[in-house]
Amino acid sequence: APPKDGGAFFHFRHFTKVPEQDILILITPVHSVCGRFLILTRIYFVRHVEAEGNLYRICEGQYNGLITLHGKKQLSCVASYFQTIRLDAIYSSGLYRAHETAKAVASASGLPVVSRRALRELDFGRFEGMSWGDIYERYPEARTQFYEDYRAFRAPGGESSREAAERQMQEV
């Protein structure tokens, strides 16, 4: 639940063993003081609901996979959570799993979902759509590099977590 002290609430898995950075951004004001120009903003970072890549252990960085049956159930939970929270804007990557999550949130507020390509997850290049098992088997050096420094790791033809974070934060 959001903190009661007016602080920011963040739920954002940015760096994990299998980076999943497709983010949905919801913006709502926290506090404003008339005449003093003090406006605090709360930004919610929401991870998309379960997608096929999560379930089947497929590298789905910018690969546009589908939502699972469990993910479809999660949509109603996300919508319910945000039903009483006033939002001013909803941003999402254009990927199906993130956009559907954003639409569930928007259903209560009536706000449009604004798609931003820069908010997409890490680009895994040649690994997109491959199973993690196949990646580890065919590219054993990549697994070693990934575990040594996942922020600097870059899949062939892709981007590093650092580069993805810079791209995403510039958009935010």
Side-chain angles (χ1 to χ4, degrees):
K4 298 187 184 345
D5 65 327
F9 170 72
F10 294 98
H11 177 72
F12 181 43
R13 280 179 39 175
H14 190 69
F15 295 115
T16 61
K17 290 299 178 188
V18 179
E20 302 195 54
Q21 300 170 325
D22 212 9
I23 58 177
L24 158 68
I25 301 173
L26 312 163
I27 301 175
T28 182
V30 174
H31 181 48
S32 64
V33 177
C34 279
R36 293 192 183 180
F37 302 103
L38 173 63
I39 299 173
L40 301 177
T41 300
R42 179 174 289 155
I43 300 176
Y44 296 85
F45 291 91
V46 179
R47 188 171 185 278
H48 61 77
V49 297
E50 184 182 70
E52 288 179 335
N54 307 119
L55 181 63
Y56 300 117
R57 306 295 301 146
I58 294 172
C59 180
E60 258 192 0
Q62 295 191 10
Y63 178 82
N64 209 6
L66 299 175
I67 293 172
T68 65
L69 289 175
H70 181 66
K72 289 180 182 180
K73 292 176 186 174
Q74 290 174 325
L75 289 172
S76 64
C77 293
V78 171
S80 176
Y81 180 86
F82 285 99
Q83 198 165 31
T84 60
I85 297 173
R86 184 176 156 253
L87 301 172
D88 289 326
I90 301 174
Y91 295 89
S92 171
S93 80
L95 294 175
Y96 180 75
R97 59 191 181 262
H99 195 76
E100 288 300 303
T101 304
K103 282 177 24 183
V105 173
S107 66
S109 68
L111 290 169
V113 176
V114 180
S115 292
R116 296 281 196 239
R117 186 173 180 82
L119 296 177
R120 283 187 171 201
E121 187 176 331
L122 178 77
D123 181 353
F124 279 101
R126 198 175 307 154
F127 295 170
E128 294 279 339
M130 292 177 64
S131 76
W132 286 104
D134 285 347
I135 292 168
Y136 294 153
E137 186 176 302
R138 293 163 79 183
Y139 301 93
E141 72 288 348
R143 182 179 189 166
T144 303
Q145 292 168 1
F146 181 76
Y147 283 104
E148 285 176 0
D149 186 2
Y150 59 89
R151 291 183 182 138
F153 171 77
R154 177 194 319 265
E159 65 185 339
S160 71
S161 289
R162 283 190 182 116
E163 292 167 332
E166 287 175 20
R167 168 177 46 81
Q168 293 162 348
M169 292 311 293
Q170 284 177 2
E171 186 67 29
V172 174

